[in-house]
Amino acid sequence: RVEGAVHSDTYFDLVTEMNRAKRFLTGTVEGISKRIWHTANLPAGTDVRRVREQLARMERRIVELSKELDAQRETLETER
C-alpha cells in the first residue's frame, strides 16, 4: 500500500510542491538574514560562501601554477 502511494502521480506532485516551497522559504529567510547582517555591517552566510568558493578557486590555481613551475624547473635542469 505504501509502495503504491510512493509511486503515484499525486506523491510526485506533492514532493515537487514541497521542494518549491522549501526553496522559496530558504530564499526568503536567507534574504532577510542577509539584510539584517549587512545592516549590522557584518558578512552574511552567502558572503562567506562566496569568499570560500573564491578561495578554493585560488588554491586550485596556485596548485596548477606550482606544477607548471616545477615542470619548467625540471626542463631547465635537464637542458643544463
Side-chain angles (χ1 to χ4, degrees):
R1 208 172 175 184
V2 171
E3 191 173 320
V6 170
H7 293 292
S8 70
D9 288 339
T10 306
Y11 172 78
F12 288 109
D13 291 342
L14 180 63
V15 169
T16 300
E17 288 302 317
M18 294 289 283
N19 284 333
R20 279 189 193 133
K22 180 182 175 188
R23 276 194 309 272
F24 174 76
L25 288 173
T26 300
T28 302
V29 170
E30 281 182 355
I32 292 169
S33 67
K34 183 177 181 178
R35 277 181 264 156
I36 291 170
W37 285 108
H38 287 171
T39 301
N41 202 25
L42 295 169
T46 53
D47 300 325
V48 173
R49 188 178 327 131
R50 191 172 49 248
V51 169
R52 282 184 179 163
E53 290 168 357
Q54 185 179 17
L55 180 59
R57 285 192 304 272
M58 291 174 67
E59 288 174 339
R60 285 190 297 271
R61 184 64 181 138
I62 289 170
V63 168
E64 290 173 8
L65 291 171
S66 295
K67 288 178 182 179
E68 289 176 20
L69 186 58
D70 289 341
Q72 288 178 0
R73 283 183 187 148
E74 287 178 18
T75 303
L76 287 175
E77 288 176 4
T78 53
E79 289 176 356
R80 288 182 192 183

